[in-house]
Amino acid sequence: MYIIYNIIIFLAFILYLPVLLFKFIRGKYREGFLERLGFLPSELINKTWGDRVIWLHAASMGETIAAGVLIKRIREEYPAATLLVSTISNTGRSMAAKNEMIDGVFYFPLDIAWIAGKVIEKINPALIIMMETELWPNLIKKASKAGCKLMLASGRISDSSIKNYRYIKPLIRDVLKKIDIFSMQSSIDYERIISLGAPEERVYCTGNIKFDRFDGLNLDVNHDELLKEFKLDNLGPIIVAGSTHEGEEEKLLTVFKEVKKEYPDAVLMIAPRYIERAEQLLKDFKERGFNTVLRTRIVNYDPGRDSIILVDTIGELVKLYSLADLVFVGGSLIPRGGHNILEPAALGKPVFFGPHMFNFAADTRDILAAGAGVQVNDEKELAAEILTYLSDRDKLCKMGQQGREIINQNRGAVDKNLEFLNRLLPEKKTEKILIVRLSAIGDVIHSLPVAYALRKAYPDAEISWLVEEKASELVLANPYLDQVFVMPKREWLAVFKKNKIQALKMFRSFFKKVKSRDFDLVLDIHGLFKSGLSTYLGASSLRYGPADGREGSTLFYNRKIKVPEQKMHVIEKRLALAAAVGAETDEVEFGIVSSRADRERVSSLLQACGSKRIIALNPYTTWESKNWPPEYFARLADLIKNKLNYVVVFTGGSGDREGIAGIINLMQIEALNLAGKTNLRELAELYRRVELFIGGDTGPMHLAAAVGTRVIALMGPTDPVTHGPYGEGHLIIQDDIDCKLCWKRSCPAGHNKCMKNIGVDRVFNKTCEILGVERYESGNQC
């Protein structure tokens, strides 16, 4: 039967495609067109990771409104869950988008097998809740196959639906077997769903959750002020007609004409089901001699002239019902099946409706049995009943009171539905997250705030980091991480030169260990081929990375994160990646800590400095184009010592030690050469103890800034906005020449002027400025 169904759906799609494209060109279906074909926004997909993704489907605005109370309870019960809502109608989507408790809203995809499967794969929901009558065979089949739990909430089977389903009973029986729980509105719906093939042990009669959304109904509006806004405070009876359809409004005009004979000051508010019809209705009404004003132009309303208000807004119907003396619910004078009659009843308003209520049969029976509404056969009968009740206010009020009572008596369905949801939703497990940032030192420092952001967002998660040896010391001691995988890149390369097979075995064994952690999510914040490959080998079903990743890294991601295009510091870009997986924060914490051994080691290295104040100079970077001339550092160090009486400490890697020794030989005074004498944690502790760091764009500069030390950054080929020292209190010196920001490791012009043009006196004056002493002029004291 699925084959036949899919052939029919496919043929219908092909046949309707020209019409669809024509309407698309005319602008009708442009909104959400791609979403209906399964192409969901990356911003929405990036939210859907972990084991608590709940997808609630409500076809129209009515179902969306009804689901509101269930959505509220789900959010209260599962505050950390990702809650998505899909709709079919534009108005339903607009209504859902206003609900701040929902994490994402999208248009329901076409029920074509490959489209449904693609959406299920991308969203990976733990539970799908289908409201009322939404039974889509391909979606249900694909979801069940993927291990997703399925629930029909506040289910109902209308008179027309039961007839239609019986034509495809073998298919519908198989579909129903895949649904885990059926929570039906009434005993009739209960019996009908079982007769179609639903397993009886999974079917429950729980009532309609629409009753619960009226619990403590608060309109957040002053009734008198609302009357004043509509200029209705001194007029006759107010009749509100909600959710009317084409063919009904002209019948209502006939009814209203009869009412006006008895009550000349009567006012009729008409809220069409589809507000895009409002302008045409306005024209039609005026042509028939009825003075009419649109809700959006209510300031132009003249109580002495106008008698009809045409509602062209969304979401105000309940508020308007509250003003009514009596309510007519549309879709019932013509064969559309009616609309929600419980809403006005909950407000204590007498409800009138026509003969065609087959989509709300159970509600109709309840309202009529309670004496809370009046059903009529046509507009003539409607006019007569309205006039009868308007002439007897006590009878009218009693009907409204009985409506409110039936609502109060039938509440509680949402609690039962929540019990089923609790039963179906899997037990919360500890999320396992792997961060991939392999190198280099400065880039790893820029990425450390991501660990804090993830820890803050997911306090119970197991958070790990994959890093190369060179920068591993900063990561290993990070308090926001549970585990660090240190990639022995140098060892692999050494073995590879001698025994390639053995090196590959070591590589495979390492990633087998990473894979064994069974990560729920891997987040690459490096964006290069090696990190993309490492992300893929992490073997998670959710592999996130930057959409602008280089070297083909994006081939390894199945979730691409679009980072902000505006220029910002690289730390903020890293945090934007974290925000895309739900870890949004305005706080920047690096988590760089020093052990007792680190502190003792640094105290030993600085013992010769005694109690004197210290400035750290870091002359070398990994790019030749970033290096300030060595002789400039020598002269600057002499000025700092002679003019300011600070101790100068040179820092760097072991490969910088010889070059720094050469700088010291050019100096008039002695300085401390600690290049290669510390590991990264010890270097961080050393920078905490100095008053100022001076150097180029390199890892040590970013380390100094990360631990809160003030920095004077000497910058040439790189951009200080994106790669300068992060935070406040720093100074940046960059010469304004045309070839700056070339981003080349070696100067393309061969002159390195962007660094050479930064004079020693200029840097020393900035040193005086940041330390709060008088400026220095060449040849004078500072």
Side-chain angles (χ1 to χ4, degrees), residues 60 132 151 207 241 335 363 457 556 577 586 604 667 671 691:
S60 68
E132 299 195 2
M151 173 180 167
D363 295 348
F556 299 108
L577 295 174
D586 294 327
S604 174
M667 292 167 52
E691 288 200 26

Side-chain angles (χ1 to χ4, degrees), residues 709-727:
T709 298
R710 290 177 295 177
V711 169
I712 293 180
L714 312 177
M715 302 195 70
T718 54
D719 193 337
V721 175
T722 60
H723 287 73
Y726 190 79

